[in-house]
Amino acid sequence: MSFATNHPVSREQAKVMNRFDITKRLVSRLHHDEAVIGGIGYTNFDLWAAGRRQQNFYMLGSMGLAAPIAFGVALAQPKRNVIALEGDGSILMQLGCLATIAGRRPTNLAVVIMDNGTYQITGGQITSTELGADIVAIARGAGIDQSAWAADEGAFEELIDLALREDGPWLIGCRIDKEKPAETTERDPPRIRDQFMRGLGVKE
Ligand SMILES: Cc1ncc(C[n+]2csc(CCOP(=O)(O)OP(=O)(O)O)c2C)c(N)n1
């Protein structure tokens, strides 16, 4: 039976969850040295609020780069699990990366999409997911077979555990409410870069 058949929850059926809550759930399930890349938008603000880790990278300024950066880290360090957290608006700007990820099949990569149907950080303009675009279906179509909507928080935790345990790539879609993030990421890109490089063991 295919992964899609086993995870039939549609975007409409998926529970609308809270981004900070599921980010904390994600961080609590990490073993130690997984790399987590938070995309622009409120996604990296809540990753920041969930607790600083040297293995976290907080993308500031450019949309759509969480998955490509995570993909690069996954290729460079194949023994490390790598997770990208990206907003729906941002992944919609970079859909090509899903086909690239599918083609190269990095077994250590998971992409989590925080789909609130809006460009929330710039004022809540609606995105195409609110008009019917289904990121999980797009990812499956691109060739990431192990793509699924998280039905609820418990299902999200199970999918994260699976992604950390078994071969990917994975894409996990999360419906997200419109709560503001818990904190704001400190705007210090050189420091974020240097700490991440230290966290990955590539800088003294
Ligand atoms: C190329 C580009 N266009 C527009 C912006 C302005 N911008 C920054 S974040 C953002 C919205 C991000 O939306 P999403 O990824 O869905 O995250 P959310 O804010 O909903 O958490 C926009 C439009 C930008 N930084 N780069």
XYZ file of all heavy atoms in Angstrom, residues 19 40-43 61 63 87-90 93 116 118-122, ligand 1:
161
model
N 0.876 27.324 15.202
C 2.262 27.183 14.731
C 3.268 27.061 15.886
O 4.163 26.213 15.858
C 2.621 28.383 13.844
C 3.993 28.316 13.183
C 4.238 29.549 12.333
N 3.808 30.722 13.041
C 2.924 31.622 12.576
N 2.451 31.531 11.364
N 2.557 32.638 13.318
N 11.503 32.444 6.065
C 11.046 33.809 6.317
C 9.549 33.743 6.635
O 8.884 32.766 6.363
C 11.321 34.712 5.099
C 11.092 36.191 5.439
C 10.462 34.305 3.929
C 11.321 37.120 4.262
N 9.049 34.820 7.194
C 7.660 34.793 7.645
C 7.683 34.450 9.127
O 8.737 34.460 9.767
N 6.526 34.143 9.653
C 6.445 33.919 11.083
C 6.985 32.557 11.491
O 7.175 32.287 12.684
C 5.000 34.088 11.549
C 4.572 35.537 11.653
C 3.235 35.908 11.473
C 5.488 36.533 11.962
C 2.844 37.227 11.582
C 5.103 37.861 12.076
C 3.777 38.204 11.893
O 3.388 39.510 12.015
N 7.273 31.693 10.503
C 7.763 30.356 10.826
C 9.050 30.407 11.643
O 9.187 29.702 12.640
C 7.966 29.588 9.507
O 6.686 29.475 8.885
C 8.528 28.217 9.740
N 14.627 37.587 5.171
C 14.724 38.414 3.973
C 14.328 37.801 2.656
O 13.846 38.502 1.787
N 12.158 34.910 0.490
C 11.098 33.890 0.536
C 11.542 32.615 -0.195
O 12.273 32.672 -1.175
C 9.820 34.421 -0.115
C 9.194 35.576 0.648
S 7.799 36.291 -0.233
C 6.545 35.031 0.017
N 6.630 28.593 5.212
C 5.249 29.044 5.062
C 4.713 28.708 3.678
O 5.483 28.467 2.739
N 3.394 28.698 3.573
C 2.774 28.370 2.275
C 3.128 29.423 1.215
O 3.448 29.083 0.070
C 1.252 28.213 2.398
C 0.581 29.404 3.067
O 1.022 29.814 4.151
O -0.392 29.931 2.504
N 3.104 30.705 1.623
C 3.421 31.750 0.646
C 4.831 31.585 0.108
O 5.091 31.747 -1.087
N 5.755 31.233 0.982
C 7.158 31.110 0.574
C 7.388 29.887 -0.304
O 8.077 29.974 -1.317
C 8.050 31.056 1.814
O 7.985 32.284 2.500
N 6.564 30.281 -3.872
C 7.527 31.008 -4.713
C 8.662 30.123 -5.189
O 9.507 30.567 -5.973
C 8.132 32.183 -3.937
C 7.127 33.240 -3.645
S 7.838 34.820 -3.216
C 8.737 35.275 -4.661
N -1.053 28.684 6.527
C -2.123 29.494 7.126
C -2.941 30.213 6.053
O -3.783 31.055 6.361
C -1.556 30.502 8.144
C -0.468 31.378 7.530
O -0.316 31.422 6.317
N 0.282 32.073 8.370
N -2.174 32.482 4.129
C -1.902 33.921 3.990
C -0.402 34.207 4.009
O 0.402 33.399 4.469
C -2.516 34.747 5.154
O -1.927 34.320 6.377
C -4.007 34.628 5.216
N -0.072 35.403 3.499
C 1.245 36.001 3.728
C 1.082 36.782 5.025
O 0.878 38.002 5.017
C 1.613 36.939 2.578
C 1.624 36.297 1.199
C 0.534 36.430 0.329
C 2.731 35.582 0.759
C 0.551 35.857 -0.940
C 2.757 35.006 -0.503
C 1.672 35.143 -1.345
O 1.689 34.577 -2.587
N 1.140 36.089 6.139
C 0.716 36.695 7.405
C 1.608 37.863 7.830
O 1.123 38.902 8.271
C 0.695 35.621 8.505
C -0.027 36.079 9.763
C 0.028 35.034 10.867
O 0.649 33.991 10.731
N -0.625 35.323 11.971
N 2.917 37.690 7.675
C 3.845 38.697 8.207
C 3.730 40.031 7.479
O 4.064 41.076 8.018
C 5.300 38.169 8.174
C 6.212 38.979 9.103
C 5.853 38.124 6.776
C 7.613 38.391 9.261
N 3.242 40.000 6.224
C 3.131 41.265 5.486
C 1.694 41.797 5.478
O 1.360 42.655 4.676
C 3.648 41.120 4.040
O 3.020 39.990 3.433
C 5.148 40.972 3.992
C 10.777 37.917 -3.239
C 10.068 38.515 -2.055
N 8.809 39.009 -2.226
C 8.163 39.548 -1.168
C 8.778 39.619 0.052
C 8.034 40.241 1.237
N 7.607 39.170 2.124
C 8.384 38.787 3.171
S 7.696 37.557 4.059
C 6.330 37.525 3.072
C 5.195 36.586 3.344
C 5.597 35.203 3.787
O 4.449 34.380 3.750
P 4.491 32.910 4.270
O 5.687 32.219 3.772
O 3.166 32.271 3.978
O 4.695 33.062 5.833
P 3.755 33.748 6.967
O 4.066 35.211 6.936
O 2.335 33.445 6.643
O 4.240 33.098 8.224
C 6.428 38.478 2.042
C 5.401 38.715 1.001
C 10.097 39.108 0.155
N 10.764 39.127 1.309
N 10.708 38.550 -0.905
